[in-house]
Amino acid sequence: HKSTAVVRRRITMAQFNDMSSAPAMEQLPTNARPRGGFAFDLCSRDQQIGTSIAAAGGRLPQAMKTGTTIVGVIYKDGVVLGADTRATGGTEVCDKNCEKIHYLSDNIYCCGAGTAADTEKTTEMISSQLELHRLNTGMQPRVVTAVTLLKRMLFRYQGHVSAALVLGGCDVNGSHLYHIYPHGSTGKLPYVTMGSGSLAAMSVFETDWREDMDEAEAIEVVKQAIRAGIFNDLGSGSNVDVTVIRKPEAGGTTTVMRGYDTPNEVADLRAGYTRPKAIVVPRGATAVLSKEVALSDLVTVEDAPTPMAF
């Protein structure tokens, strides 16, 4: 048995040493490439294509990103999560009312920053796995279970899935709040901010946060943190969404508040604004020079068919 193990080890080491001479992924036929998961073997080709397009003055389409200020805080009876609602594509605002607080289970929610498609589909996949876990075990999923599933998935793709997450929830072990980075690293803290407006939001938490806040105080701190991101970060904007998750002993309920605060609402401003008369053009101000309509010989006018009777 020892000699067999030594031979196997020598063969394995020989294969390892010959890996440097193995053909590149681009040279392998399609049916010989590894299956399952993402395929990154065409990254160098795509980069060359992008470089050539840019050199010719063109521009590749960009993925829609959430831009984002997302936060979370633990209070004495649960967790409060908050997010803005702006989604951007480069320098353009693609969506003014994007939903960034995603459902994982009845007691666990997750805020997402990064590429909008990555955050939505990642949380959908984990939500499905948590529901299967609940059906198999007959118990409410633990928050740490959701964190483990997310961090393992993100680590598997080495940051190519652009999803930075703030996960909060309550279970039999109490209130939990985590931040999860795109490469799979995590941290557990009493208050968390992520996204392009995270520094502005963190300044609010470091000023106003204290232990054992009640629900109203926690919601107010989260609202002010998101507003700080909205007004100090170009990637964040529009409205403030808030989700409150309560401990089992505090009722175990969850409240989702879409559009909890609308600091950029302009209806009142527009209602009170009167346009100058100089730019209001009255009907008939443009002179009509001719009313004759000439049809080209290339245009054929036919009667419409008689509609069917019912």
Side-chain angles (χ1 to χ4, degrees), residues 34-293:
R35 297 296 179 183
F38 290 136
F40 300 113
D41 47 323
L42 299 178
C43 287
S44 58
R45 184 209 66 173
D46 295 341
Q47 187 176 9
Q48 292 175 0
I49 293 175
T51 303
S52 60
I53 292 176
R59 189 180 72 169
L60 287 172
Q62 293 179 321
M64 187 170 69
K65 300 195 175 183
T66 57
T68 303
T69 302
I70 53 175
V71 306
V73 64
I74 291 178
Y75 71 101
K76 65 179 181 180
D77 289 326
V79 178
V80 179
L81 302 176
D84 72 298
T85 60
R86 172 178 290 180
T88 58
T91 58
E92 300 168 354
V93 177
C94 298
D95 189 351
K96 294 182 179 179
N97 198 27
C98 173
E99 187 172 4
K100 302 181 185 181
I101 305 180
H102 307 285
Y103 172 91
L104 291 182
S105 68
D106 292 340
N107 61 315
I108 308 170
Y109 278 74
C110 184
C111 306
T115 303
D118 287 350
T119 59
E120 289 182 12
K121 292 305 173 184
T122 297
T123 51
E124 282 181 13
M125 290 170 60
I126 301 305
S127 177
S128 176
Q129 293 180 32
L130 288 175
E131 178 63 13
L132 292 174
H133 181 273
R134 184 188 68 81
L135 293 172
N136 285 329
T137 62
M139 296 186 296
Q140 188 183 62
R142 306 287 192 266
V143 178
V144 70
T145 304
V147 173
T148 303
L149 290 173
L150 280 167
K151 69 191 296 184
R152 286 180 177 175
M153 176 189 170
L154 293 174
F155 177 76
R156 186 182 308 131
Y157 294 114
Q158 292 292 294
H160 291 282
V161 176
S162 179
L165 309 171
V166 170
L167 185 145
C170 300
D171 54 29
V172 294
N173 297 317
S175 305
H176 308 274
L177 183 66
Y178 293 86
H179 58 173
I180 307 171
Y181 288 92
H183 287 79
S185 60
T186 62
K188 185 178 183 181
L189 296 166
Y191 58 88
V192 170
T193 68
M194 292 192 83
S196 55
S198 60
L199 295 179
M202 181 59 75
S203 66
V204 174
F205 277 127
E206 291 182 343
T207 302
D208 297 335
W209 179 85
R210 60 182 179 80
E211 290 188 41
D212 295 328
M213 290 189 295
D214 61 28
E215 185 173 309
E217 292 173 330
I219 292 175
E220 180 64 22
V221 171
V222 166
K223 184 186 82 170
Q224 295 302 329
I226 298 299
R227 286 174 67 103
I230 288 173
F231 293 121
N232 294 281
D233 171 49
L234 294 178
S236 306
S238 297
N239 307 325
V240 179
D241 287 350
V242 174
T243 296
V244 182
I245 308 166
R246 301 174 185 87
K247 293 180 180 178
E249 54 267 28
T253 57
T254 299
T255 303
V256 178
M257 293 177 275
R258 283 279 282 156
Y260 175 77
D261 186 38
T262 54
N264 293 300
E265 181 59 51
V266 295
D268 295 337
L269 177 64
R270 289 180 175 174
Y273 175 74
T274 303
R275 300 181 68 188
K277 293 183 178 180
I279 65 172
V280 178
V281 181
R283 184 182 296 274
T286 303
V288 178
L289 302 179
S290 174
K291 293 185 178 180
E292 183 179 353
V293 179

